[in-house]
Every structure is written in structure tokens, then in C-alpha cells.
């Protein structure tokens, strides 16, 4: 079997660590792993395939001989190293938002638009975590009738803000239990026992950058240039796995039974929809795995051409690391 030299840019972060774990889980044919991070991480190691691999400094020359670079770093780092990665001949599968809306860069969810990977010019973008979970859940409905508009509300776990998110949540809970105060550092407000209805900065007409990603990225992934989305993104005191409430509106009426049948057959989805027996998608059930659970399917009472549903997925895995490695799997096919 042919093997590949795979670099992970941002190997010490939560997503980078998950990428390394999933490469091993999915038996990706890694001949050599090159974990890359900032200079302060040089000397540390990551464990892969039964051995410790030394972390190297990310520099322009670090990509020589690499076949695939999995990006798990922020936008500025992605933009800084993208030219060197492409020049080296590697393909850059980038988890940041730096190139997602670039018309020359494919934006891929493998269950939805795998064929778009063929158009890459050295860079492929991994979508936003909530976008991945949502389009995986609703894409099968788009085959019944084109989705014209969506109304979505996201309930995003603290780990979506990085490794410090869960630490801050737990520290606040402990401080409050002991009657102490805790000054938030990761979030703008106390997250314990609270909801924060802002993720990202203001971008358009009172909508945040996170909220606009759902509209702009969904259009590109599902090849629906006229798709309109209104979204509210909320940070919730859940450790892992994002949840999204979605109303989809179509050209023609779509039945609940049609939707259930489509979801049951959809790649990457699991139908969990039995309200009477209290069976529906929940963060605890969807954490640390790669399937998007979909349930609470019902008619939209405001629109006879609308359907409402609720979906949950692990935003670190399917919403980031696993989706990137699935893209890499498309590349090597």
C-alpha cells in the first residue's frame, strides 16, 4: 500500500491532537507524520502509532517532501504558510476560515460535495463546524426539493472555543460552588449556568461572523447560490458536541415521512426521532464519534412548505478533524 507523508500544522491544539488521533483510528496510510507547531513547542512530542514523534517548528521549509498538510491553526497562520505549502507540492486541507469563500478553493463536506475536491489548486477548505453538522443533516432533503431558505439556531459547546473553553466552564462551576468569583478569560461573560448569544464579532446588520458563515458556506457546499439563511449562534455550557435547530423551506410541500426516510439513508447521519419514547439527538450521545444525529422532525407551522428538525454532532471530530481527514481520504483515492 502506498503511504503518505502527512504534516499537521497546529499539532498541539485541540483539533490538531484530534487529527493525529483520527489518522490512527481510520488507518490513514501515514508513512511519516510531521507534527508542526510554534517554536515554543519544539522538544515536545505527540504519540502516534506506538511511538513518540517530535514536534517540529512550522517554517517555510518544513513542508519539503510532505504530501498532505492538515491545517489546525488560526487564519493568520494558515495564510502565512499556504504559499510555502503549495510551492512544496503538498495539498493543504485547512480548517481555518482563511480560504473558505475563495472561489478558487473547494469547500468540502465529503457526504455532500465530494466531487468538488477535483478542482483544488493546492488548497482545500474545511467548513465551519456548525455548517458541517447542519449541511450533513439537511443535504438529503435538498434532493427531495431544493432548499430555498433556512432558519437556524446553534447551541455551541464550550470546546468549540478551544481547549481553554471546558477548563473555564469547570473552573467557574467549582468557583461558584465554593462561593468564590471567577474572572472569565476565554468567554466575554460567565458561561457556567449561562448562555452567551454571540460567537464572533459583528459582521453584517447585527449578525456575527459565526452566523454569516452558515449562509455563505452552505451556499457553496450545497451548490445553492440563492440560498438564504438567518442564523443565531449561542454558546452554551455544554462541554462537547454542537446542536442546531433548523427550519428548511422548499419549493414544494415536503412530508415528515419523506424527510425521515431521506435522513435514515443519508451518509453520515443517524435518525434518532421518537418523541414518545424520549429519543432525540443530544450532545452527550453524539460526543466522541463522527455521525450527525437528526431528530425532532416535524412540520413548520408557519409554512406549509417547511420542515423543522434538530441535529447534533461532535464539532471537534466531524465538525473539524474527521471531516479534514475524510477530505484527505478523497484525495488519495
Amino acid at each position: 500500500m502506498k503511504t503518505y507523508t502527512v504534516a499537521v500544522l497546529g499539532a498541539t491544539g485541540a483539533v490538531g491532537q484530534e487529527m493525529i488521533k483520527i489518522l490512527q483510528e481510520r488507518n490513514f496510510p501515514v508513512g511519516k507524520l510531521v507534527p508542526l507547531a510554534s517554536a515554543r513547542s519544539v522538544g515536545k512530542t505527540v504519540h502516534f502509532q506506538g511511538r513518540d514523534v517530535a514536534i517540529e517548528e512550522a517554517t517555510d521549509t518544513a513542508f519539503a517532501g510532505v504530501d498532505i498538510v492538515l491545517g489546525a491553526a488560526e487564519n493568520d497562520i494558515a495564510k502565512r504558510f499556504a504559499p510555502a505549502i503549495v510551492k512544496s507540492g503538498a495539498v493543504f486541507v485547512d480548517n481555518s476560515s482563511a480560504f473558505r469563500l475563495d472561489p478558487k478553493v473547494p469547500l468540502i463536506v465529503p457526504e455532500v460535495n465530494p466531487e468538488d475536491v477535483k478542482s483544488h489548486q493546492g488548497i482545500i477548505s474545511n467548513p465551519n463546524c456548525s455548517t458541517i453538522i447542519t449541511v450533513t443533516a439537511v443535504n438529503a432533503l435538498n434532493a427531495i426539493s431544493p432548499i430555498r431558505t433556512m432558519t437556524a439556531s446553534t447551541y455551541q459547546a464550550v470546546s468549540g472555543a478551544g481547549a481553554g473553553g471546558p477548563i473555564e466552564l469547570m473552573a467557574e462551576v467549582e468557583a461558584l460552588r465554593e462561593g468564590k468569583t471567577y474572572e472569565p478569560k476565554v468567554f466575554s461573560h460567565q458561561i457556567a449556568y449561562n448562555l452567551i448569544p454571540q460567537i464572533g464579532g459583528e459582521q453584517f446588520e447585527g449578525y456575527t461572523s459565526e452566523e454569516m458563515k452558515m449562509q455563505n458556506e452552505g451556499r457553496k457546499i450545497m451548490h445553492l447560490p440563492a440560498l438564504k439563511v438567518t442564523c443565531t449562534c449561542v454558546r452554551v455550557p455544554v462541554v462537547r458536541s454542537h446542536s442546531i435547530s433548523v427550519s428548511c423551506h422548499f419549493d414544494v410541500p415536503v412530508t415528515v415521512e419523506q424527510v425521515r426516510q431521506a435522513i435514515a439513508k443519508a451518509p453520515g447521519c443517524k435518525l434518532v426521532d421518537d418523541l414518545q419514547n424520549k429519543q432525540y439527538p443530544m450532545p452527550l450521545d453524539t460526543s466522541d464519534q463522527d455521525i450527525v444525529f437528526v431528530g425532532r422532525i416535524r412540520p413548520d407551522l408557519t409554512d406549509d412548505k417547511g420542515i423543522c428538525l434538530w441535529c447534533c454532532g461532535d464539532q471537534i471530530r466531524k465538525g473539524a478533524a474527521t471531516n479534514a481527514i475524510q477530505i484527505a481520504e478523497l484525495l488519495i483515492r
Side-chain angles (χ1 to χ4, degrees):
M1 178 190 292
K2 182 177 179 180
T3 60
Y4 299 84
T5 299
V6 178
V8 177
L9 178 62
T12 57
V15 173
Q17 292 176 41
E18 200 74 15
M19 285 174 170
I20 292 168
K21 173 184 171 183
I22 295 168
L23 283 169
Q24 189 164 281
E25 279 184 15
R26 294 176 72 92
N27 295 315
F28 192 90
V30 179
K32 180 182 179 183
L33 179 72
V34 184
L36 300 172
S38 64
R40 65 178 177 270
S41 294
V42 173
K44 298 178 182 178
T45 61
V46 297
H47 196 70
F48 183 70
Q49 293 179 339
R51 62 189 182 89
D52 291 329
V53 182
I55 293 172
E56 302 177 23
E57 182 178 0
T59 64
D60 285 346
T61 59
F63 307 102
V66 173
D67 299 302
I68 297 170
V69 178
L70 300 174
E74 298 299 323
N75 286 16
D76 57 339
I77 302 298
K79 290 177 180 178
R80 160 75 178 82
F81 289 111
I85 293 169
V86 174
K87 185 177 180 180
S88 76
V91 180
F92 185 23
V93 181
D94 178 34
N95 193 60
S96 83
S97 62
F99 306 103
R100 287 176 186 161
L101 300 183
D102 186 326
K104 297 178 182 178
V105 176
L107 184 66
I108 305 291
V109 176
E111 292 87 350
V112 178
N113 62 331
E115 68 285 348
D116 289 356
V117 78
K118 297 174 184 177
S119 66
H120 81 81
Q121 299 177 33
I123 303 173
I124 299 171
S125 273
N126 211 27
N128 170 264
C129 49
S130 292
T131 302
I132 291 173
I133 294 164
T134 304
V135 300
T136 299
V138 306
N139 184 63
L141 313 190
N142 192 48
I144 301 171
S145 176
I147 301 170
R148 295 307 180 199
T149 66
M150 287 200 305
T151 300
S153 295
T154 73
Y155 303 77
Q156 298 185 214
V158 293
S159 52
I167 294 171
E168 181 151 298
L169 172 60
M170 300 306 179
E172 286 180 354
V173 169
E174 185 64 20
L176 291 166
R177 186 185 69 82
E178 296 177 355
K180 300 177 181 177
T181 59
Y182 186 94
E183 186 67 30
K185 301 177 182 66
V186 177
F187 302 109
S188 56
H189 301 276
Q190 174 186 311
I191 186 60
Y193 313 116
N194 195 23
L195 304 176
I196 304 174
Q198 178 182 356
I199 302 177
E202 182 176 353
Q203 182 171 324
F204 175 76
E205 296 286 353
Y207 285 85
T208 67
S209 54
E210 185 81 0
E211 289 160 352
M212 294 307 295
K213 287 172 186 175
M214 185 83 78
Q215 173 159 264
N216 295 327
E217 295 179 19
R219 287 173 171 170
K220 185 173 180 178
I221 296 162
M222 295 193 290
H223 300 166
L224 293 172
L227 177 68
K228 293 183 178 180
V229 180
T230 184
C231 185
T232 302
C233 291
V234 183
R235 187 73 69 190
V236 299
V238 168
V239 173
R240 186 158 174 161
S241 203
H242 289 352
S243 305
I244 303 101
S245 171
V246 188
S247 296
C248 295
H249 307 273
F250 307 91
D251 283 337
V252 299
V254 173
T255 69
V256 168
E257 189 54 37
Q258 280 179 298
V259 171
R260 285 188 175 132
Q261 290 179 9
I263 294 297
K265 297 175 184 176
C269 289
K270 180 178 180 180
L271 180 66
V272 184
D273 190 29
D274 187 349
L275 185 62
Q276 186 173 358
N277 290 303
K278 299 180 176 60
Q279 297 297 308
Y280 23 69
M282 294 185 291
L284 287 178
D285 295 332
T286 53
S287 294
D288 203 29
Q289 56 84 56
D290 298 320
I291 302 297
V292 174
F293 288 19
V294 186
R296 293 302 321 278
I297 299 168
R298 59 205 188 278
D300 187 329
L301 300 182
T302 71
D303 181 359
D304 61 4
K305 297 177 183 177
I307 287 287
C308 300
L309 59 81
W310 171 263
C311 58
C312 291
D314 187 313
Q315 88 288 352
I316 300 175
R317 289 183 63 101
K318 180 55 186 168
T322 301
N323 200 76
I325 290 160
Q326 286 178 294
I327 293 170
E329 290 169 348
L330 290 175
L331 285 170
I332 67 173
R333 285 178 201 155

